[in-house]
PDB file of all heavy atoms in Angstrom:
ATOM      1  N   LEU A   1     128.703 113.025  22.497  1.00 98.00           N
ATOM      2  CA  LEU A   1     127.295 112.881  22.219  1.00 98.00           C
ATOM      3  C   LEU A   1     126.999 112.556  20.791  1.00 98.00           C
ATOM      4  O   LEU A   1     127.676 112.934  19.867  1.00 98.00           O
ATOM      5  CB  LEU A   1     126.532 114.046  22.593  1.00 98.00           C
ATOM      6  CG  LEU A   1     126.172 114.325  24.097  1.00 98.00           C
ATOM      7  CD1 LEU A   1     125.757 115.773  24.391  1.00 98.00           C
ATOM      8  CD2 LEU A   1     125.239 113.292  24.664  1.00 98.00           C
ATOM      9  N   LYS A   2     126.001 111.734  20.575  1.00 96.00           N
ATOM     10  CA  LYS A   2     125.532 111.307  19.280  1.00 96.00           C
ATOM     11  C   LYS A   2     124.826 112.586  18.522  1.00 96.00           C
ATOM     12  O   LYS A   2     124.369 113.483  19.323  1.00 96.00           O
ATOM     13  CB  LYS A   2     124.556 110.087  19.294  1.00 96.00           C
ATOM     14  CG  LYS A   2     125.184 108.820  19.730  1.00 96.00           C
ATOM     15  CD  LYS A   2     124.245 107.758  19.783  1.00 96.00           C
ATOM     16  CE  LYS A   2     124.812 106.465  20.396  1.00 96.00           C
ATOM     17  NZ  LYS A   2     123.767 105.409  20.578  1.00 96.00           N
ATOM     18  N   PRO A   3     124.806 112.552  17.245  1.00 94.00           N
ATOM     19  CA  PRO A   3     124.050 113.664  16.618  1.00 94.00           C
ATOM     20  C   PRO A   3     122.580 113.661  17.102  1.00 94.00           C
ATOM     21  O   PRO A   3     121.938 112.526  17.290  1.00 94.00           O
ATOM     22  CB  PRO A   3     124.181 113.253  15.132  1.00 94.00           C
ATOM     23  CG  PRO A   3     125.404 112.517  15.020  1.00 94.00           C
ATOM     24  CD  PRO A   3     125.521 111.734  16.279  1.00 94.00           C
ATOM     25  N   ASN A   4     122.008 114.816  17.275  1.00 91.00           N
ATOM     26  CA  ASN A   4     120.623 115.049  17.543  1.00 91.00           C
ATOM     27  C   ASN A   4     120.324 114.484  19.048  1.00 91.00           C
ATOM     28  O   ASN A   4     119.141 114.255  19.379  1.00 91.00           O
ATOM     29  CB  ASN A   4     119.720 114.331  16.597  1.00 91.00           C
ATOM     30  CG  ASN A   4     119.781 114.857  15.266  1.00 91.00           C
ATOM     31  OD1 ASN A   4     119.781 116.086  15.024  1.00 91.00           O
ATOM     32  ND2 ASN A   4     119.953 113.970  14.221  1.00 91.00           N
ATOM     33  N   SER A   5     121.265 114.275  19.768  1.00 97.00           N
ATOM     34  CA  SER A   5     121.077 113.849  21.212  1.00 97.00           C
ATOM     35  C   SER A   5     120.679 114.984  22.120  1.00 97.00           C
ATOM     36  O   SER A   5     120.859 116.287  21.658  1.00 97.00           O
ATOM     37  CB  SER A   5     122.344 113.070  21.766  1.00 97.00           C
ATOM     38  OG  SER A   5     123.467 113.951  21.525  1.00 97.00           O
ATOM     39  N   LYS A   6     120.270 114.783  23.327  1.00 98.00           N
ATOM     40  CA  LYS A   6     119.817 115.793  24.143  1.00 98.00           C
ATOM     41  C   LYS A   6     120.648 115.841  25.457  1.00 98.00           C
ATOM     42  O   LYS A   6     121.204 114.907  25.886  1.00 98.00           O
ATOM     43  CB  LYS A   6     118.350 115.512  24.643  1.00 98.00           C
ATOM     44  CG  LYS A   6     117.328 115.645  23.413  1.00 98.00           C
ATOM     45  CD  LYS A   6     115.975 115.349  23.999  1.00 98.00           C
ATOM     46  CE  LYS A   6     114.896 115.578  22.979  1.00 98.00           C
ATOM     47  NZ  LYS A   6     113.450 115.263  23.412  1.00 98.00           N
ATOM     48  N   LEU A   7     120.701 117.142  26.026  1.00 98.00           N
ATOM     49  CA  LEU A   7     121.463 117.289  27.286  1.00 98.00           C
ATOM     50  C   LEU A   7     120.833 118.352  28.096  1.00 98.00           C
ATOM     51  O   LEU A   7     120.147 119.259  27.506  1.00 98.00           O
ATOM     52  CB  LEU A   7     122.917 117.492  27.002  1.00 98.00           C
ATOM     53  CG  LEU A   7     123.282 118.806  26.272  1.00 98.00           C
ATOM     54  CD1 LEU A   7     124.691 119.282  26.689  1.00 98.00           C
ATOM     55  CD2 LEU A   7     123.223 118.674  24.785  1.00 98.00           C
ATOM     56  N   VAL A   8     120.991 118.317  29.290  1.00 98.00           N
ATOM     57  CA  VAL A   8     120.452 119.400  30.305  1.00 98.00           C
ATOM     58  C   VAL A   8     121.638 119.913  31.127  1.00 98.00           C
ATOM     59  O   VAL A   8     122.305 119.058  31.726  1.00 98.00           O
ATOM     60  CB  VAL A   8     119.351 118.906  31.088  1.00 98.00           C
ATOM     61  CG1 VAL A   8     118.838 120.084  32.031  1.00 98.00           C
ATOM     62  CG2 VAL A   8     118.159 118.457  30.280  1.00 98.00           C
ATOM     63  N   ILE A   9     121.882 121.126  31.261  1.00 98.00           N
ATOM     64  CA  ILE A   9     122.927 121.703  32.082  1.00 98.00           C
ATOM     65  C   ILE A   9     122.341 122.894  32.805  1.00 98.00           C
ATOM     66  O   ILE A   9     121.188 123.321  32.576  1.00 98.00           O
ATOM     67  CB  ILE A   9     124.082 122.306  31.150  1.00 98.00           C
ATOM     68  CG1 ILE A   9     123.627 123.408  30.321  1.00 98.00           C
ATOM     69  CG2 ILE A   9     124.743 121.265  30.360  1.00 98.00           C
ATOM     70  CD1 ILE A   9     124.749 124.096  29.533  1.00 98.00           C
ATOM     71  N   ASP A  10     122.945 123.331  33.951  1.00 97.00           N
ATOM     72  CA  ASP A  10     122.446 124.368  34.710  1.00 97.00           C
ATOM     73  C   ASP A  10     123.589 125.501  34.994  1.00 97.00           C
ATOM     74  O   ASP A  10     124.727 125.164  34.808  1.00 97.00           O
ATOM     75  CB  ASP A  10     121.752 123.965  35.850  1.00 97.00           C
ATOM     76  CG  ASP A  10     122.608 123.411  36.990  1.00 97.00           C
ATOM     77  OD1 ASP A  10     123.945 123.121  36.760  1.00 97.00           O
ATOM     78  OD2 ASP A  10     122.293 123.278  38.136  1.00 97.00           O
ATOM     79  N   PHE A  11     123.087 126.610  35.364  1.00 97.00           N
ATOM     80  CA  PHE A  11     124.104 127.688  35.674  1.00 97.00           C
ATOM     81  C   PHE A  11     123.381 128.691  36.481  1.00 97.00           C
ATOM     82  O   PHE A  11     122.220 128.995  36.350  1.00 97.00           O
ATOM     83  CB  PHE A  11     124.592 128.276  34.266  1.00 97.00           C
ATOM     84  CG  PHE A  11     125.807 129.104  34.452  1.00 97.00           C
ATOM     85  CD1 PHE A  11     127.063 128.527  34.629  1.00 97.00           C
ATOM     86  CD2 PHE A  11     125.754 130.468  34.212  1.00 97.00           C
ATOM     87  CE1 PHE A  11     128.227 129.240  34.835  1.00 97.00           C
ATOM     88  CE2 PHE A  11     126.869 131.252  34.403  1.00 97.00           C
ATOM     89  CZ  PHE A  11     128.118 130.676  34.604  1.00 97.00           C
ATOM     90  N   PRO A  12     124.075 129.446  37.415  1.00 97.00           N
ATOM     91  CA  PRO A  12     123.497 130.263  38.341  1.00 97.00           C
ATOM     92  C   PRO A  12     122.839 131.529  37.591  1.00 97.00           C
ATOM     93  O   PRO A  12     123.399 132.049  36.712  1.00 97.00           O
ATOM     94  CB  PRO A  12     124.540 130.834  39.215  1.00 97.00           C
ATOM     95  CG  PRO A  12     125.625 129.816  39.097  1.00 97.00           C
ATOM     96  CD  PRO A  12     125.568 129.237  37.642  1.00 97.00           C
ATOM     97  N   ASN A  13     121.570 131.817  38.086  1.00 96.00           N
ATOM     98  CA  ASN A  13     120.958 133.039  37.673  1.00 96.00           C
ATOM     99  C   ASN A  13     121.547 134.306  38.507  1.00 96.00           C
ATOM    100  O   ASN A  13     121.141 134.394  39.666  1.00 96.00           O
ATOM    101  CB  ASN A  13     119.460 132.926  37.808  1.00 96.00           C
ATOM    102  CG  ASN A  13     118.702 134.284  37.420  1.00 96.00           C
ATOM    103  OD1 ASN A  13     119.306 135.139  37.127  1.00 96.00           O
ATOM    104  ND2 ASN A  13     117.365 134.111  37.407  1.00 96.00           N
ATOM    105  N   GLN A  14     122.383 134.928  37.962  1.00 96.00           N
ATOM    106  CA  GLN A  14     123.183 135.932  38.815  1.00 96.00           C
ATOM    107  C   GLN A  14     122.276 137.188  39.112  1.00 96.00           C
ATOM    108  O   GLN A  14     122.742 138.020  39.977  1.00 96.00           O
ATOM    109  CB  GLN A  14     124.397 136.407  38.029  1.00 96.00           C
ATOM    110  CG  GLN A  14     125.429 135.187  37.933  1.00 96.00           C
ATOM    111  CD  GLN A  14     126.566 135.382  37.008  1.00 96.00           C
ATOM    112  OE1 GLN A  14     127.293 136.364  37.141  1.00 96.00           O
ATOM    113  NE2 GLN A  14     126.675 134.491  35.974  1.00 96.00           N
ATOM    114  N   LYS A  15     121.086 137.261  38.506  1.00 95.00           N
ATOM    115  CA  LYS A  15     120.136 138.283  38.862  1.00 95.00           C
ATOM    116  C   LYS A  15     119.127 137.806  40.001  1.00 95.00           C
ATOM    117  O   LYS A  15     118.258 138.578  40.481  1.00 95.00           O
ATOM    118  CB  LYS A  15     119.410 138.755  37.620  1.00 95.00           C
ATOM    119  CG  LYS A  15     120.243 139.513  36.658  1.00 95.00           C
ATOM    120  CD  LYS A  15     119.534 140.028  35.554  1.00 95.00           C
ATOM    121  CE  LYS A  15     120.433 140.696  34.434  1.00 95.00           C
ATOM    122  NZ  LYS A  15     119.682 141.161  33.268  1.00 95.00           N
ATOM    123  N   HIS A  16     119.227 136.617  40.386  1.00 95.00           N
ATOM    124  CA  HIS A  16     118.247 136.065  41.377  1.00 95.00           C
ATOM    125  C   HIS A  16     118.582 136.628  42.727  1.00 95.00           C
ATOM    126  O   HIS A  16     119.696 136.915  43.050  1.00 95.00           O
ATOM    127  CB  HIS A  16     118.455 134.548  41.482  1.00 95.00           C
ATOM    128  CG  HIS A  16     117.314 133.859  42.161  1.00 95.00           C
ATOM    129  ND1 HIS A  16     117.279 133.747  43.596  1.00 95.00           N
ATOM    130  CD2 HIS A  16     116.303 133.174  41.659  1.00 95.00           C
ATOM    131  CE1 HIS A  16     116.163 133.118  43.882  1.00 95.00           C
ATOM    132  NE2 HIS A  16     115.546 132.714  42.857  1.00 95.00           N
ATOM    133  N   PRO A  17     117.507 136.958  43.527  1.00 94.00           N
ATOM    134  CA  PRO A  17     117.664 137.533  44.844  1.00 94.00           C
ATOM    135  C   PRO A  17     118.622 136.791  45.860  1.00 94.00           C
ATOM    136  O   PRO A  17     119.197 137.288  46.725  1.00 94.00           O
ATOM    137  CB  PRO A  17     116.199 137.659  45.386  1.00 94.00           C
ATOM    138  CG  PRO A  17     115.377 137.643  44.209  1.00 94.00           C
ATOM    139  CD  PRO A  17     116.077 136.827  43.197  1.00 94.00           C
ATOM    140  N   SER A  18     118.678 135.427  45.659  1.00 95.00           N
ATOM    141  CA  SER A  18     119.426 134.636  46.466  1.00 95.00           C
ATOM    142  C   SER A  18     120.764 134.300  46.007  1.00 95.00           C
ATOM    143  O   SER A  18     121.490 133.417  46.572  1.00 95.00           O
ATOM    144  CB  SER A  18     118.642 133.336  46.863  1.00 95.00           C
ATOM    145  OG  SER A  18     117.531 133.589  47.715  1.00 95.00           O
ATOM    146  N   PHE A  19     121.155 134.822  44.806  1.00 95.00           N
ATOM    147  CA  PHE A  19     122.469 134.466  44.234  1.00 95.00           C
ATOM    148  C   PHE A  19     123.617 134.762  45.191  1.00 95.00           C
ATOM    149  O   PHE A  19     124.574 134.003  45.412  1.00 95.00           O
ATOM    150  CB  PHE A  19     122.630 135.216  42.911  1.00 95.00           C
ATOM    151  CG  PHE A  19     124.026 135.062  42.305  1.00 95.00           C
ATOM    152  CD1 PHE A  19     124.475 133.744  41.877  1.00 95.00           C
ATOM    153  CD2 PHE A  19     124.962 136.086  42.334  1.00 95.00           C
ATOM    154  CE1 PHE A  19     125.778 133.635  41.324  1.00 95.00           C
ATOM    155  CE2 PHE A  19     126.273 135.917  41.803  1.00 95.00           C
ATOM    156  CZ  PHE A  19     126.652 134.740  41.256  1.00 95.00           C
ATOM    157  N   LYS A  20     123.674 136.004  45.698  1.00 96.00           N
ATOM    158  CA  LYS A  20     124.717 136.390  46.716  1.00 96.00           C
ATOM    159  C   LYS A  20     124.764 135.537  47.906  1.00 96.00           C
ATOM    160  O   LYS A  20     125.857 135.207  48.387  1.00 96.00           O
ATOM    161  CB  LYS A  20     124.583 137.871  47.026  1.00 96.00           C
ATOM    162  CG  LYS A  20     124.865 138.851  45.798  1.00 96.00           C
ATOM    163  CD  LYS A  20     124.698 140.214  46.350  1.00 96.00           C
ATOM    164  CE  LYS A  20     125.009 141.190  45.276  1.00 96.00           C
ATOM    165  NZ  LYS A  20     124.838 142.650  45.586  1.00 96.00           N
ATOM    166  N   THR A  21     123.624 135.037  48.305  1.00 96.00           N
ATOM    167  CA  THR A  21     123.647 134.142  49.469  1.00 96.00           C
ATOM    168  C   THR A  21     124.306 132.842  49.163  1.00 96.00           C
ATOM    169  O   THR A  21     125.013 132.209  49.920  1.00 96.00           O
ATOM    170  CB  THR A  21     122.119 133.962  49.958  1.00 96.00           C
ATOM    171  OG1 THR A  21     121.441 135.145  50.229  1.00 96.00           O
ATOM    172  CG2 THR A  21     122.137 133.069  51.273  1.00 96.00           C
ATOM    173  N   MET A  22     123.937 132.352  47.960  1.00 95.00           N
ATOM    174  CA  MET A  22     124.559 131.074  47.456  1.00 95.00           C
ATOM    175  C   MET A  22     126.101 131.268  47.490  1.00 95.00           C
ATOM    176  O   MET A  22     126.817 130.280  47.732  1.00 95.00           O
ATOM    177  CB  MET A  22     123.973 130.691  46.120  1.00 95.00           C
ATOM    178  CG  MET A  22     124.593 129.302  45.567  1.00 95.00           C
ATOM    179  SD  MET A  22     123.785 128.847  44.100  1.00 95.00           S
ATOM    180  CE  MET A  22     124.367 130.075  42.979  1.00 95.00           C
ATOM    181  N   VAL A  23     126.609 132.426  46.877  1.00 96.00           N
ATOM    182  CA  VAL A  23     127.988 132.526  46.819  1.00 96.00           C
ATOM    183  C   VAL A  23     128.652 132.557  48.225  1.00 96.00           C
ATOM    184  O   VAL A  23     129.695 131.988  48.389  1.00 96.00           O
ATOM    185  CB  VAL A  23     128.295 133.851  46.068  1.00 96.00           C
ATOM    186  CG1 VAL A  23     129.797 134.233  46.262  1.00 96.00           C
ATOM    187  CG2 VAL A  23     127.862 133.823  44.650  1.00 96.00           C
ATOM    188  N   LYS A  24     127.971 133.113  49.148  1.00 96.00           N
ATOM    189  CA  LYS A  24     128.461 133.199  50.494  1.00 96.00           C
ATOM    190  C   LYS A  24     128.530 131.669  51.109  1.00 96.00           C
ATOM    191  O   LYS A  24     129.579 131.337  51.686  1.00 96.00           O
ATOM    192  CB  LYS A  24     127.535 134.008  51.472  1.00 96.00           C
ATOM    193  CG  LYS A  24     127.627 135.524  51.279  1.00 96.00           C
ATOM    194  CD  LYS A  24     126.687 136.143  52.295  1.00 96.00           C
ATOM    195  CE  LYS A  24     126.658 137.667  52.065  1.00 96.00           C
ATOM    196  NZ  LYS A  24     125.697 138.332  53.018  1.00 96.00           N
ATOM    197  N   LEU A  25     127.470 131.017  50.854  1.00 95.00           N
ATOM    198  CA  LEU A  25     127.420 129.607  51.266  1.00 95.00           C
ATOM    199  C   LEU A  25     128.563 128.756  50.730  1.00 95.00           C
ATOM    200  O   LEU A  25     129.291 128.043  51.419  1.00 95.00           O
ATOM    201  CB  LEU A  25     126.074 128.955  50.904  1.00 95.00           C
ATOM    202  CG  LEU A  25     126.013 127.424  51.233  1.00 95.00           C
ATOM    203  CD1 LEU A  25     126.158 127.199  52.704  1.00 95.00           C
ATOM    204  CD2 LEU A  25     124.694 126.961  50.669  1.00 95.00           C
ATOM    205  N   GLU A  26     128.845 128.960  49.521  1.00 95.00           N
ATOM    206  CA  GLU A  26     129.870 128.172  48.758  1.00 95.00           C
ATOM    207  C   GLU A  26     131.225 128.624  49.220  1.00 95.00           C
ATOM    208  O   GLU A  26     132.060 127.751  49.356  1.00 95.00           O
ATOM    209  CB  GLU A  26     129.815 128.398  47.177  1.00 95.00           C
ATOM    210  CG  GLU A  26     128.538 127.801  46.529  1.00 95.00           C
ATOM    211  CD  GLU A  26     128.563 126.334  46.454  1.00 95.00           C
ATOM    212  OE1 GLU A  26     129.379 125.675  46.964  1.00 95.00           O
ATOM    213  OE2 GLU A  26     127.514 125.814  45.995  1.00 95.00           O
ATOM    214  N   ASN A  27     131.371 129.891  49.588  1.00 96.00           N
ATOM    215  CA  ASN A  27     132.689 130.223  50.187  1.00 96.00           C
ATOM    216  C   ASN A  27     132.960 129.693  51.465  1.00 96.00           C
ATOM    217  O   ASN A  27     134.038 129.233  51.869  1.00 96.00           O
ATOM    218  CB  ASN A  27     132.710 131.741  50.137  1.00 96.00           C
ATOM    219  CG  ASN A  27     132.884 132.428  48.853  1.00 96.00           C
ATOM    220  OD1 ASN A  27     133.539 131.819  48.000  1.00 96.00           O
ATOM    221  ND2 ASN A  27     132.486 133.722  48.692  1.00 96.00           N
ATOM    222  N   TYR A  28     131.831 129.553  52.293  1.00 95.00           N
ATOM    223  CA  TYR A  28     132.032 128.960  53.622  1.00 95.00           C
ATOM    224  C   TYR A  28     132.331 127.440  53.533  1.00 95.00           C
ATOM    225  O   TYR A  28     133.114 126.861  54.316  1.00 95.00           O
ATOM    226  CB  TYR A  28     130.665 129.092  54.393  1.00 95.00           C
ATOM    227  CG  TYR A  28     130.438 130.525  54.993  1.00 95.00           C
ATOM    228  CD1 TYR A  28     129.215 131.105  54.806  1.00 95.00           C
ATOM    229  CD2 TYR A  28     131.469 131.100  55.772  1.00 95.00           C
ATOM    230  CE1 TYR A  28     129.017 132.373  55.428  1.00 95.00           C
ATOM    231  CE2 TYR A  28     131.192 132.302  56.337  1.00 95.00           C
ATOM    232  CZ  TYR A  28     130.061 132.927  56.121  1.00 95.00           C
ATOM    233  OH  TYR A  28     129.817 134.178  56.682  1.00 95.00           O
ATOM    234  N   LEU A  29     131.810 126.793  52.427  1.00 94.00           N
ATOM    235  CA  LEU A  29     132.104 125.394  52.086  1.00 94.00           C
ATOM    236  C   LEU A  29     133.374 125.188  51.383  1.00 94.00           C
ATOM    237  O   LEU A  29     133.697 124.047  50.993  1.00 94.00           O
ATOM    238  CB  LEU A  29     131.012 124.895  51.369  1.00 94.00           C
ATOM    239  CG  LEU A  29     129.531 124.780  52.080  1.00 94.00           C
ATOM    240  CD1 LEU A  29     128.474 124.177  51.083  1.00 94.00           C
ATOM    241  CD2 LEU A  29     129.605 124.058  53.393  1.00 94.00           C
ATOM    242  N   LYS A  30     134.172 126.335  51.189  1.00 95.00           N
ATOM    243  CA  LYS A  30     135.420 126.220  50.462  1.00 95.00           C
ATOM    244  C   LYS A  30     135.181 125.765  49.004  1.00 95.00           C
ATOM    245  O   LYS A  30     136.036 125.037  48.472  1.00 95.00           O
ATOM    246  CB  LYS A  30     136.475 125.344  51.177  1.00 95.00           C
ATOM    247  CG  LYS A  30     136.754 125.984  52.586  1.00 95.00           C
ATOM    248  CD  LYS A  30     137.728 125.145  53.333  1.00 95.00           C
ATOM    249  CE  LYS A  30     138.064 125.595  54.728  1.00 95.00           C
ATOM    250  NZ  LYS A  30     139.104 124.872  55.439  1.00 95.00           N
ATOM    251  N   ARG A  31     134.231 126.378  48.432  1.00 94.00           N
ATOM    252  CA  ARG A  31     133.983 126.052  46.994  1.00 94.00           C
ATOM    253  C   ARG A  31     133.744 127.310  46.221  1.00 94.00           C
ATOM    254  O   ARG A  31     132.700 127.677  45.809  1.00 94.00           O
ATOM    255  CB  ARG A  31     132.670 125.219  46.696  1.00 94.00           C
ATOM    256  CG  ARG A  31     132.673 123.849  47.490  1.00 94.00           C
ATOM    257  CD  ARG A  31     131.294 123.167  47.426  1.00 94.00           C
ATOM    258  NE  ARG A  31     131.306 122.091  48.367  1.00 94.00           N
ATOM    259  CZ  ARG A  31     130.187 121.461  48.749  1.00 94.00           C
ATOM    260  NH1 ARG A  31     128.951 121.913  48.327  1.00 94.00           N
ATOM    261  NH2 ARG A  31     130.137 120.404  49.577  1.00 94.00           N
TER     262      ARG A  31
END
């Protein structure tokens, strides 16, 4: 990246009520 450039990233909110459901789904999908 160039100096002063911008980027957006994401990451799971592990306190979110649906986080455990997402983990289950990813395990079923072999991820």
Side-chain angles (χ1 to χ4, degrees):
L1 281 167
K2 296 177 182 178
N4 300 312
S5 54
K6 294 181 178 180
L7 64 156
V8 181
I9 61 177
D10 71 344
F11 196 71
N13 179 353
Q14 295 169 57
K15 294 182 179 180
H16 193 282
S18 291
F19 172 71
K20 290 183 179 179
T21 306
M22 181 174 69
V23 171
K24 287 182 184 178
L25 172 62
E26 296 286 0
N27 284 334
Y28 283 131
L29 298 179
K30 298 182 180 179
R31 301 171 193 165

